Amino acid sequence: AEILEREGIHCNITLLFSTAQALAAAQAGATLISPFVGRIYDWHKKSAGTGWDEAAMRGDNDPGVRSVQTIHAQLKGGGYPTEIMGASFRNVGQILALSGCDLLTISPELLDELASAHGDVERKLTAPARSGRTAPLQEGEFRFALNDDAMAAEKLAEGIRIFAADTRRLEALIEAMA
């Protein structure tokens, strides 16, 4: 991202599941990051199994929402210009809990739910007072932080495997057309 951004090619860093990834992307100068709120939620729900309490894990208690709140506070408090676009929402509550985020990508079904709702939407995220940028993450620190977060490590590896499989399928289709 750092090299591409220097060349004037704006980057959206996706498959983003951790604060370490967000901070590294911002420090590289990425234009946009897309934390996957719903996939973080899914992992925690699956991990909790029968112990998952849906009512208790709504709104600000949703692990995907908490992740974006933390990322937002760190990046905005650090003065990074990187925009944050919450993605992969599972319900309207997640969207409303992140109102005020720079951008949100919302499915048509959830947009319809929002359109039929009544009342005002309260802004939940605001830029905190600048606390100054953190020291740049060194590669070792980044790797440790990512691997220390089981959800982020698992979801990132899973996403890369899926992208790689899709790439192989695309290459096979292109080759078949030649």
Side-chain angles (χ1 to χ4, degrees), residues 58-60 62 65 89-98 114:
R58 288 189 179 148
D60 289 337
D62 181 299
V65 168
F89 293 102
R90 299 296 183 253
N91 58 64
V92 169
Q94 291 172 333
I95 296 165
L96 295 174
L98 293 174
L114 286 166

Side-chain angles (χ1 to χ4, degrees), residues 2-75:
E2 184 176 3
I3 293 167
L4 292 170
E5 290 282 353
R6 261 197 321 259
E7 295 292 324
I9 300 168
H10 298 299
C11 298
N12 174 9
I13 306 301
T14 188
L15 284 182
L16 201 134
F17 302 103
S18 73
T19 305
Q21 287 177 287
L23 188 55
Q27 289 174 345
T31 297
L32 176 67
I33 60 170
S34 298
F36 283 0
V37 177
R39 292 186 190 183
I40 294 169
Y41 164 89
D42 293 344
W43 186 91
H44 284 279
K45 183 175 180 177
K46 181 179 177 184
S47 179
T50 58
W52 182 260
D53 182 344
E54 189 68 40
M57 300 308 282
R58 288 189 179 148
D60 289 337
N61 292 326
D62 181 299
V65 168
R66 284 195 320 260
S67 177
V68 175
Q69 290 170 334
T70 299
I71 289 167
H72 187 270
Q74 283 207 0
L75 269 55

Side-chain angles (χ1 to χ4, degrees), residues 4 19 38 50-51 68 76 79 87 91 118 133 135 148 150 156 163 170 172 178:
L4 292 170
T19 305
T50 58
V68 175
K76 300 308 173 188
N91 58 64
H118 299 287
R133 293 188 177 187
D148 196 42
L156 177 59
F163 280 151
L170 179 59

Side-chain angles (χ1 to χ4, degrees), residues 17-21 43 137-157 160:
F17 302 103
S18 73
T19 305
Q21 287 177 287
W43 186 91
L137 273 177
Q138 299 302 309
E139 183 178 353
E141 294 170 311
F142 171 80
R143 288 180 183 272
F144 183 83
L146 183 63
N147 286 312
D148 196 42
D149 183 338
M151 177 278 304
E154 289 177 26
K155 294 306 291 180
L156 177 59
I160 291 170

Side-chain angles (χ1 to χ4, degrees), residues 158-172:
E158 174 187 76
I160 291 170
R161 284 191 297 274
I162 291 169
F163 280 151
D166 289 345
T167 299
R168 288 190 293 275
R169 279 196 295 279
L170 179 59
E171 288 169 343

